[in-house]
């Protein structure tokens, strides 16, 4: 017998990196389902502005996912404003690109802190109350990059691969608790994070729109599923690829230009985003870079927005 779709109206969701990109579109989609939504972002002004635009059932709050006390304060404020958290969407992420051997250590640490430790911290803070109530749903935004690994974004791919296996392990620990956990793995998404990426030859791996990711999130909240691909046909591609020797997998990747997606990205098209990603840790920028950031971005802007790939 097919599962009866869950009614989301009246429930409360908290979204990290929710001011822009996938986070913003997901907030709008959940509000359309009758949910209340807390939008957390490192750019508190943007979070407040986004919530104001989306309506009275949304609230914008400051959130630095790398700071446990900030994350705890975000969830506590969301509960005070909207009620107990039924859904946590771990969406915040950054994707600086470049050759692995040229990547500075501060950038690598920042990628792991936001993309992986932010997810770990969010789950550790949100799950206890969900388990106590025997209800709740955590959605972690991963990426197809975490399933295959692409040159030009090695540390980003590693962070998303870690989120995938973290989610698999925690899901097993949650069995029988009444709490659901889902993993959303998109290809490149048409947001700021996906600027300048090379289009692969295979249309199946085309860049998707944020709405497609938001729709997948809504669907898995209504009818829970663990491993969700965006687009959904990629589930078949993954199964087929797993049957092939690594040499054939890599050969196919080269022929389809999948290896070029991150490795040959247009650096000029990504310049503004790369600076904004660095702005998520102001200490990574010298004074001239901070001026360049302000000029290119038209003022301060956040990096904690899993726009694409998603996959982040």
């Amino acid at each position: 017998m097919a599962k009866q779709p869950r009614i989301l109206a009246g429930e409360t969701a908290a979204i990290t990196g929710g001011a822009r990109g996938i986070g913003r579109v997901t907030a709008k989609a959940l509000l359309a389902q009758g949910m209340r939504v807390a939008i957390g972002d490192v750019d508190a002004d943007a979070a407040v502005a986004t919530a104001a635009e989306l309506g009275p059932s949304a609230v914008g709050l400051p959130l630095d996912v790398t700071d446990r006390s900030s994350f705890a304060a975000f969830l506590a404020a969301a509960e005070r404003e909207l009620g107990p958290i039924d859904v946590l969407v771990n969406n915040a992420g950054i994707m600086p690109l470049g050759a692995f051997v040229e990547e500075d250590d501060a950038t690598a640490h920042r990628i792991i802190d936001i993309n992986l430790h932010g997810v770990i911290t969010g789950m550790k803070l949100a799950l206890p109350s969900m388990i106590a109530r025997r209800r709740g749903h955590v959605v972690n935004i991963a990426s197809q990059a975490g399933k295959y690994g692409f040159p030009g974004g090695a540390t980003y791919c590693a962070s998303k691969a870690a989120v995938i296996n973290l989610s698999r392990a925690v899901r097993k620990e949650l069995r029988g608790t009444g709490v659901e956990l889902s993993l959303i793995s998109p290809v490149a998404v048409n947001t700021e994070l996906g600027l300048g990426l090379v289009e692969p030859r295979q249309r199946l791996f085309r860049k998707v729109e944020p709405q497609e990711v938001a729709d997948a999130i809504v669907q898995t909240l209504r009818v829970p599923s663990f491993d969700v691909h965006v687009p959904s046909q990629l589930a078949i591609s993954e199964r087929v690829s797993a049957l092939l020797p690594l040499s054939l997998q890599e050969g196919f990747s080269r022929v389809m230009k999948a290896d070029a997606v991150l490795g040959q990205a247009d650096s000029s098209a990504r310049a503004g985003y790369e600076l904004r990603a660095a702005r998520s840790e102001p200490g990574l920028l010298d004074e001239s870079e901070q001026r360049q950031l302000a000029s290119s971005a038209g003022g301060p802007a956040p990096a904690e927005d899993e726009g694409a790939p998603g996959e982040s």
Side-chain angles (χ1 to χ4, degrees), residues 25 224 229 253-254 264 270 291:
V25 177
H229 298 69
S253 184
R254 288 192 296 272
Q264 297 178 26
R270 292 184 58 79
R291 286 196 298 270

Side-chain angles (χ1 to χ4, degrees), residues 59-272:
V59 60
L61 300 165
L63 169 63
D64 177 356
V65 299
T66 71
D67 183 332
R68 185 183 180 91
S69 62
S70 174
F71 213 138
F74 164 65
L75 294 177
E79 292 208 341
R80 284 196 305 272
E81 296 274 351
L82 304 175
I85 303 298
D86 299 292
V87 173
L88 171 64
V89 180
N90 281 311
N91 166 71
I94 59 172
M95 189 178 73
L97 298 180
F100 177 69
V101 295
E102 296 173 3
E103 178 185 77
D104 62 84
D105 290 345
T107 295
H109 283 296
R110 191 64 179 167
I111 292 170
I112 299 300
D113 281 348
I114 293 173
N115 296 6
L116 175 57
H117 287 298
V119 174
I120 291 172
T121 300
M123 288 200 294
K124 284 183 175 179
L125 290 171
L127 284 173
S129 60
M130 290 182 178
I131 293 169
R133 298 196 312 271
R134 297 194 62 79
R135 60 171 294 159
H137 201 143
V138 173
V139 177
N140 293 333
I141 307 299
S143 169
Q144 291 295 316
K147 290 178 176 287
Y148 296 101
F150 298 114
T155 302
Y156 173 81
C157 292
S159 72
K160 292 302 184 178
V163 168
I164 289 168
N165 277 294
L166 169 72
S167 301
R168 287 171 176 164
V170 174
R171 175 175 178 258
K172 293 172 183 176
E173 293 187 20
L174 291 174
R175 189 171 292 129
T177 66
V179 179
E180 300 282 353
L181 194 154
S182 295
L183 183 68
I184 310 290
S185 298
V187 292
V189 184
N190 189 24
T191 65
E192 185 185 40
L193 192 148
L195 287 172
L197 302 186
V198 172
E199 289 288 345
R201 289 195 176 97
Q202 172 54 259
R203 179 160 174 75
L204 179 62
F205 300 100
R206 65 178 172 81
K207 191 177 287 186
V208 298
E209 296 300 322
Q211 188 64 53
E212 295 177 70
V213 182
D215 289 345
I217 292 170
V218 170
Q219 179 60 21
T220 198
L221 290 178
R222 297 190 72 231
V223 182
S225 179
F226 174 65
D227 197 3
V228 179
H229 298 69
V230 184
S232 60
Q233 300 94 317
L234 285 173
I236 299 172
S237 175
E238 181 181 0
R239 294 189 191 102
V240 172
S241 179
L243 299 174
L244 301 176
L246 184 59
S247 59
L248 286 181
Q249 292 181 37
E250 293 178 345
F252 180 77
S253 184
R254 288 192 296 272
V255 169
M256 292 296 105
K257 289 180 64 177
D259 278 1
V261 171
L262 305 184
Q264 297 178 26
D266 183 345
S267 58
S268 61
R270 292 184 58 79

